[in-house]
Amino acid sequence: MKTQNTYYGTVMIGEPDELFGKAVELAEEHRTRNEIPKPSWAMAGGSTPKAFFKYCVANDAIPKYFIEHGTWFTSDERMVPTNNEESNFGNLDRLLLKHYDIDEYDKYPWPTDMNPLEAAHVFNDLWNKRRGPAECFDICFLGVGDDCHTASLFPHSPLIRQPVNANFASVEVPTKGYRLTVTPHGLSRCGIIVVMAMGKEKAVPLVSIFESIIQPDQRPAQLLSHYKDKVYWLLDTEAAGKLN
Ligand code: 6PG
């Protein structure tokens, strides 16, 4: 695997399975180094995490400590119930957590059965009672969209233009409806951030993120430069194919 330090964090380039293995290793290293008793792990949405979950199940890759003591989240969510196939938490649960028989008490789906503003408020409140507002996810996985969005921070998002202090927020995304998401301030309080991007459709957005001028309002994933010491980009050779 090729590794390079960049302005946006540590970039690792390899084949999907070795990157998935690396993703688990980064989570486990962070947990052991910081002796986190009940580590919170937020998975991303989209197609890449689905392949990651399948890898984890096929290789029994999730470390025992996380199975016994982990708490499970997603870094963003659509306003659908968990039984909907668009639900990020629903997919995490169906494809990974159920396989490991994770206790329901350790699962934290976003409360999508209320209005978005209230849902974000309730989720912040729940988090703040358990961990406090000064912390966010111990391990936060993210993806990158074709338009350079990450989590549900889309280009020209009000959450980038007028950042809120809370870790989590609701936001209306043009043409997509409301989403719930970790905010830029939330990202700043995460322990480590692991961005996975795979496949040739990611090649152009990644060049735009890594090689254009910094304009997070247009390319939200560039926000990650602020936290580069704790950001790891896991890119397969197709996704990294056009990077200098
Ligand atoms: C979601 C996430 C989004 C996702 C990227 C990458 O879809 O729920 O908001 O940020 O992680 O769009 O998705 P892929 O893995 O499908 O490329």
Side-chain angles (χ1 to χ4, degrees):
M1 196 175 332
K2 261 197 239 163
T3 301
Q4 198 178 326
N5 291 326
T6 75
Y7 190 72
Y8 293 96
T10 305
V11 175
M12 298 175 174
I13 301 171
E15 292 313 316
D17 276 11
E18 58 177 336
L19 298 171
F20 292 152
K22 189 64 181 179
V24 173
E25 204 180 299
L26 287 168
E28 178 68 344
E29 258 172 31
H30 180 72
R31 177 196 76 75
T32 50
R33 198 174 40 247
N34 297 285
E35 297 177 6
I36 306 170
K38 273 202 85 61
S40 52
W41 191 339
M43 298 291 179
S47 55
T48 315
K50 289 185 188 160
F52 172 65
F53 301 152
K54 284 183 189 151
Y55 165 90
C56 290
V57 168
N59 296 280
D60 219 358
I62 299 293
K64 195 161 173 267
Y65 193 91
F66 280 96
I67 296 164
E68 290 173 0
H69 306 286
T71 52
W72 303 88
F73 297 80
T74 55
S75 45
D76 72 335
E77 189 57 282
R78 296 131 201 253
M79 294 304 294
V80 294
T82 47
N83 62 6
N84 185 302
E85 61 179 33
E86 287 279 290
S87 165
N88 289 344
F89 196 92
N91 288 323
L92 162 63
D93 196 29
R94 283 183 286 278
L95 298 172
L96 188 76
L97 304 185
K98 281 201 189 324
H99 169 84
Y100 283 107
D101 214 9
I102 300 292
D103 196 328
E104 294 300 313
Y105 186 74
D106 292 322
K107 298 178 185 175
Y108 291 87
W110 297 79
T112 54
D113 55 347
M114 41 186 89
N115 76 58
L117 209 66
E118 204 183 338
H121 177 74
V122 166
F123 201 70
N124 272 302
D125 201 46
L126 174 81
W127 177 272
N128 293 346
K129 282 190 179 118
R130 297 192 72 90
R131 295 284 300 260
E135 290 182 39
C136 193
F137 304 130
D138 296 304
I139 297 140
C140 182
F141 277 19
L142 298 174
V144 174
D146 299 351
D147 57 358
C148 305
H149 81 263
T150 189
S152 283
L153 303 169
F154 285 80
H156 316 301
S157 174
L159 294 176
I160 298 173
R161 292 185 165 182
Q162 292 131 10
V164 295
N165 190 41
N167 285 326
F168 311 110
S170 61
V171 64
E172 190 173 10
V173 182
T175 78
K176 294 184 196 295
Y178 272 93
R179 296 279 187 97
L180 297 164
T181 185
V182 62
T183 64
H185 277 303
L187 288 173
S188 74
R189 299 171 189 134
C190 288
I192 55 163
I193 297 173
V194 177
V195 191
M196 285 201 266
M198 295 181 190
K200 58 181 185 318
E201 316 74 57
K202 302 295 176 195
V204 170
L206 285 169
V207 169
S208 164
I209 293 164
F210 280 87
E211 295 173 19
S212 317
I213 57 166
I214 303 191
Q215 286 173 310
D217 183 50
Q218 292 188 30
R219 294 178 278 277
Q222 290 182 327
L223 282 170
L224 297 173
S225 67
H226 296 303
Y227 335 115
K228 65 171 177 235
D229 292 344
K230 58 179 183 185
V231 176
Y232 299 86
W233 296 76
L234 304 182
L235 311 179
D236 74 353
T237 44
E238 286 189 334
K242 290 190 194 296
L243 287 175
N244 251 328

